[in-house]
Amino acid sequence: MKKTIQWLLLPAAVIMSLSVTAQTADEVINKYIDAIGGKEKLKQITSLSMEGSVQVMGNENPTTVTILNGKGYKSESQFNGQKMIQCYTDKGGWTVNPMNGGNAEAMPEDMYNSGKDQIDIGGALLDYAAKGSTVTLQGKEGNAYKLVLTTKDKVSTTYLVDANTYYITAVMKKGNMMGQPIDITINLSDYKKADNGIALPYTINTDLGGQFALTTTIKKVDVNKPVDAAAFAMPK
């Protein structure tokens, strides 16, 4: 009889163990937000200005990123003496590509929808429901939780969140290169804390469908440096 009771109690013990160790999408996201500094600190940031270098095919070039929270994101990189720019705002986006003549051009809608979350310093996962997005937890990939976020524009992005540090280690999404759809994989590492205590990845490896790869290294970060909104206006 005693053994029978023990066998009956075993499944309940297993279920209780699983419920303790199981994570929900919101629990993983909350731990990620806490790991990079917490919602309160993120909400206090009005701008980020970053300087670094980008390495492409063995060549290292200067790059800058400027973000005015909720208003604009602008990256500028030098390649062989020419400037490449990507700019997203809360109203639209534009690019300057030397391979397309070097003139400012309005961004295609699918490209804008895929990258406009970069204007939000807290990232797409912060307050995702209020932005009209949904997130599902699709188990683990290695030692990382796999989150899939889908925006109200039906754009899906996959995040891998390290189960120990709760930092995002990889981001995967669909993109477009020279008119062809590609898979974009961004690996994030070397997290360090900026002046106000938020943690940012200082090394960013980007693979564009296996056709093109680049490594960005952040060397300097300024938090809440004054940024003029006019910097995000598309040149005429």
Side-chain angles (χ1 to χ4, degrees), residues 52-62 78-79 215 217 219:
S53 63
V54 57
Q55 190 174 54
V56 183
M57 295 183 290
N59 297 315
E60 193 168 300
N61 303 278
Q78 295 283 346
F79 291 102
T215 298
T217 303
K219 299 178 179 179

Side-chain angles (χ1 to χ4, degrees), residues 125-145:
L125 292 174
L126 179 64
D127 294 334
Y128 71 89
K131 300 169 186 172
S133 301
T134 59
V135 177
T136 58
L137 175 59
Q138 297 188 351
K140 292 179 73 176
E141 190 167 302
N143 193 46
Y145 293 105

